[in-house]
Coordinates of all heavy atoms in Angstrom, one line a residue:
F74 N 114.5 91.0 80.0 CA 114.3 90.8 81.4 C 115.4 89.9 82.0 O 115.7 88.9 81.4 CB 112.9 90.1 81.6 CG 111.8 91.0 81.3 CD1 111.1 90.9 80.1 CD2 111.4 92.0 82.2 CE1 110.1 91.8 79.8 CE2 110.3 92.9 81.9 CZ 109.7 92.8 80.7
T75 N 115.9 90.3 83.1 CA 117.1 89.6 83.7 C 116.6 88.8 84.9 O 117.4 88.1 85.5 CB 118.1 90.7 84.2 OG1 117.5 91.6 85.1 CG2 118.7 91.4 83.0
Q76 N 115.3 88.9 85.3 CA 114.8 88.2 86.5 C 114.9 86.6 86.2 O 115.0 86.2 85.1 CB 113.4 88.6 86.8 CG 113.2 90.0 87.3 CD 113.3 91.0 86.3 OE1 113.4 90.8 85.1 NE2 113.1 92.3 86.7
R77 N 114.8 85.9 87.3 CA 114.6 84.5 87.2 C 113.4 84.1 86.4 O 112.3 84.8 86.6 CB 114.5 83.9 88.6 CG 114.4 82.4 88.6 CD 114.4 81.9 90.1 NE 114.9 80.5 89.9 CZ 115.0 79.6 90.9 NH1 114.6 80.0 92.2 NH2 115.4 78.4 90.7
I78 N 113.5 83.2 85.5 CA 112.4 82.7 84.7 C 112.3 81.2 84.9 O 113.3 80.5 84.7 CB 112.5 83.0 83.2 CG1 112.6 84.5 83.0 CG2 111.3 82.5 82.4 CD1 112.9 85.0 81.5
V79 N 111.1 80.7 85.3 CA 110.9 79.3 85.6 C 109.8 78.7 84.8 O 108.7 79.3 84.7 CB 110.5 79.2 87.1 CG1 110.2 77.7 87.5 CG2 111.6 79.7 88.0
L80 N 110.1 77.5 84.3 CA 109.0 76.7 83.6 C 108.3 75.8 84.6 O 108.9 74.9 85.1 CB 109.6 75.9 82.5 CG 110.2 76.7 81.3 CD1 110.8 75.7 80.3 CD2 109.2 77.6 80.6
L81 N 107.0 76.1 84.8 CA 106.3 75.4 85.9 C 106.0 73.9 85.6 O 105.8 73.1 86.5 CB 105.0 76.1 86.2 CG 105.2 77.4 86.9 CD1 103.8 78.1 87.0 CD2 105.7 77.2 88.3
E82 N 106.0 73.5 84.3 CA 105.8 72.1 84.0 C 107.2 71.5 83.5 O 107.2 70.4 83.1 CB 104.7 71.9 82.9 CG 103.3 72.2 83.4 CD 102.2 72.0 82.4 OE1 102.5 71.8 81.2 OE2 101.1 72.0 82.8
G83 N 108.2 72.4 83.5 CA 109.5 71.9 83.0 C 109.5 71.7 81.5 O 108.7 72.3 80.8
F84 N 110.5 70.9 81.1 CA 110.7 70.6 79.6 C 109.9 69.3 79.3 O 109.7 68.5 80.2 CB 112.1 70.6 79.3 CG 113.0 69.7 80.1 CD1 113.2 68.4 79.8 CD2 113.5 70.2 81.4 CE1 114.0 67.5 80.6 CE2 114.2 69.3 82.2 CZ 114.5 68.0 81.8
F85 N 109.6 69.1 78.1 CA 108.9 67.9 77.6 C 109.7 67.0 76.8 O 109.3 65.9 76.6 CB 107.6 68.4 76.8 CG 106.8 69.4 77.6 CD1 107.0 70.7 77.5 CD2 105.8 68.9 78.4 CE1 106.2 71.6 78.3 CE2 105.0 69.8 79.2 CZ 105.2 71.1 79.1
D86 N 110.9 67.5 76.4 CA 111.8 66.7 75.5 C 113.2 67.3 75.7 O 113.4 68.5 75.9 CB 111.3 66.9 74.1 CG 111.9 65.9 73.1 OD1 113.2 66.0 73.0 OD2 111.2 65.1 72.6
A87 N 114.2 66.3 75.7 CA 115.6 66.8 75.9 C 116.0 67.8 74.8 O 116.9 68.6 75.0 CB 116.5 65.6 75.8
A88 N 115.3 67.8 73.6 CA 115.6 68.7 72.6 C 115.4 70.2 73.0 O 115.9 71.1 72.3 CB 114.8 68.4 71.3
E89 N 114.6 70.4 74.1 CA 114.4 71.8 74.5 C 115.6 72.3 75.4 O 115.7 73.5 75.6 CB 113.1 71.9 75.3 CG 111.9 71.6 74.5 CD 110.7 71.2 75.5 OE1 110.5 72.0 76.4 OE2 110.1 70.2 75.2
L90 N 116.4 71.4 75.9 CA 117.4 71.8 76.9 C 118.4 72.8 76.3 O 118.8 73.8 77.1 CB 118.1 70.5 77.4 CG 117.3 69.7 78.3 CD1 118.0 68.3 78.6 CD2 116.9 70.4 79.6
P91 N 118.9 72.7 75.1 CA 119.8 73.8 74.6 C 119.2 75.2 74.7 O 119.9 76.1 75.0 CB 120.1 73.3 73.1 CG 119.9 71.9 73.1 CD 118.8 71.6 74.1
L92 N 117.9 75.3 74.3 CA 117.2 76.6 74.4 C 117.2 77.1 75.9 O 117.4 78.3 76.1 CB 115.8 76.5 73.9 CG 115.6 76.5 72.4 CD1 114.2 76.2 72.0 CD2 116.1 77.9 71.8
L93 N 116.9 76.2 76.8 CA 116.8 76.6 78.2 C 118.2 77.1 78.6 O 118.3 78.1 79.4 CB 116.4 75.4 79.1 CG 114.9 75.2 79.4 CD1 114.1 75.1 78.1 CD2 114.7 74.1 80.3
A94 N 119.2 76.4 78.2 CA 120.6 76.8 78.6 C 120.9 78.1 78.0 O 121.4 79.1 78.7 CB 121.6 75.7 78.1
T95 N 120.7 78.3 76.7 CA 121.0 79.6 76.0 C 120.3 80.8 76.7 O 120.9 81.8 76.9 CB 120.5 79.5 74.5 OG1 121.2 78.4 73.9 CG2 120.9 80.8 73.8
H96 N 119.0 80.6 77.1 CA 118.3 81.7 77.6 C 118.2 81.8 79.1 O 117.5 82.5 79.7 CB 116.9 81.7 77.0 CG 116.9 81.9 75.5 ND1 117.2 83.1 74.9 CD2 116.7 81.0 74.5 CE1 117.2 82.9 73.5 NE2 116.9 81.7 73.3
R97 N 119.0 80.9 79.7 CA 119.0 80.9 81.2 C 117.6 80.8 81.8 O 117.2 81.6 82.6 CB 119.8 82.1 81.8 CG 121.3 82.1 81.5 CD 122.0 83.4 81.8 NE 121.6 84.4 80.9 CZ 120.8 85.5 81.1 NH1 120.4 85.7 82.4 NH2 120.5 86.3 80.2
I98 N 116.9 79.8 81.4 CA 115.6 79.5 81.9 C 115.6 78.3 82.9 O 116.2 77.3 82.5 CB 114.6 79.2 80.7 CG1 114.5 80.5 79.9 CG2 113.3 78.7 81.2 CD1 113.8 80.3 78.5
D99 N 115.1 78.6 84.1 CA 115.1 77.5 85.1 C 113.9 76.6 84.9 O 112.9 77.0 84.4 CB 115.0 78.2 86.5 CG 116.2 79.1 86.8 OD1 117.2 79.0 86.0 OD2 116.2 79.8 87.8
T100 N 114.0 75.4 85.4 CA 113.0 74.4 85.1 C 112.6 73.6 86.3 O 113.4 73.2 87.1 CB 113.3 73.5 83.9 OG1 112.3 72.6 83.7 CG2 114.7 72.8 84.1
V101 N 111.3 73.4 86.4 CA 110.8 72.4 87.3 C 111.2 71.0 86.8 O 111.2 70.7 85.6 CB 109.2 72.5 87.4 CG1 108.6 71.2 88.1 CG2 108.9 73.7 88.3
I102 N 111.5 70.1 87.8 CA 111.7 68.7 87.5 C 110.6 67.9 88.3 O 110.7 68.0 89.5 CB 113.1 68.2 88.0 CG1 114.2 68.9 87.1 CG2 113.2 66.7 88.0 CD1 114.4 68.2 85.8
H103 N 109.7 67.3 87.6 CA 108.6 66.7 88.4 C 108.5 65.2 88.2 O 107.7 64.5 88.7 CB 107.2 67.3 88.0 CG 106.9 67.2 86.6 ND1 106.3 66.0 86.1 CD2 106.9 68.1 85.6 CE1 106.1 66.2 84.8 NE2 106.4 67.4 84.5
S104 N 109.4 64.7 87.3 CA 109.3 63.2 87.0 C 110.6 62.6 86.7 O 111.6 63.2 86.4 CB 108.4 63.1 85.7 OG 109.2 63.5 84.6
A105 N 110.6 61.2 86.9 CA 111.8 60.5 86.6 C 112.2 60.6 85.2 O 113.4 60.6 84.8 CB 111.6 59.0 87.0
E106 N 111.2 60.7 84.3 CA 111.5 60.9 82.9 C 112.3 62.1 82.6 O 113.3 62.1 81.8 CB 110.2 60.9 82.1 CG 109.4 59.6 82.0 CD 108.6 59.3 83.2 OE1 108.6 60.1 84.2 OE2 108.0 58.2 83.3
Q107 N 112.0 63.2 83.3 CA 112.8 64.4 83.1 C 114.2 64.3 83.6 O 115.1 64.8 83.0 CB 112.1 65.6 83.7 CG 110.8 66.1 83.0 CD 110.1 67.2 83.8 OE1 110.1 67.2 85.0 NE2 109.5 68.1 83.1
I108 N 114.3 63.6 84.7 CA 115.7 63.4 85.3 C 116.5 62.6 84.3 O 117.7 62.9 84.0 CB 115.6 62.7 86.7 CG1 114.9 63.6 87.6 CG2 117.0 62.3 87.1 CD1 114.6 63.0 89.0
A109 N 115.9 61.6 83.6 CA 116.6 60.8 82.6 C 117.0 61.7 81.4 O 118.1 61.6 80.9 CB 115.7 59.6 82.2
M110 N 116.1 62.6 81.0 CA 116.4 63.5 79.8 C 117.5 64.4 80.1 O 118.3 64.8 79.2 CB 115.1 64.3 79.5 CG 114.0 63.5 78.8 SD 112.7 64.7 78.5 CE 111.2 63.8 79.0
L111 N 117.7 64.8 81.4 CA 118.8 65.7 81.8 C 120.2 65.1 81.5 O 121.1 65.8 81.3 CB 118.7 66.0 83.3 CG 118.1 67.3 83.7 CD1 118.4 67.5 85.2 CD2 118.6 68.5 82.9
Q112 N 120.2 63.7 81.3 CA 121.5 63.1 81.0 C 121.9 63.5 79.6 O 123.1 63.4 79.2 CB 121.4 61.6 81.0 CG 120.9 61.0 82.4 CD 121.9 61.3 83.5 OE1 123.1 61.5 83.3 NE2 121.4 61.3 84.7

Side-chain angles (χ1 to χ4, degrees):
F74 291 99
T75 55
Q76 289 79 0
R77 181 171 206 186
I78 300 176
V79 173
L80 293 179
L81 288 171
E82 290 181 351
F84 51 92
F85 304 90
D86 192 295
E89 296 161 51
L90 290 171
L92 280 173
L93 268 59
T95 301
H96 296 288
R97 287 170 292 110
I98 294 168
D99 298 352
T100 176
V101 163
I102 291 278
H103 62 78
S104 69
E106 290 80 1
Q107 288 176 325
I108 295 174
M110 287 181 222
L111 261 190
Q112 303 298 336

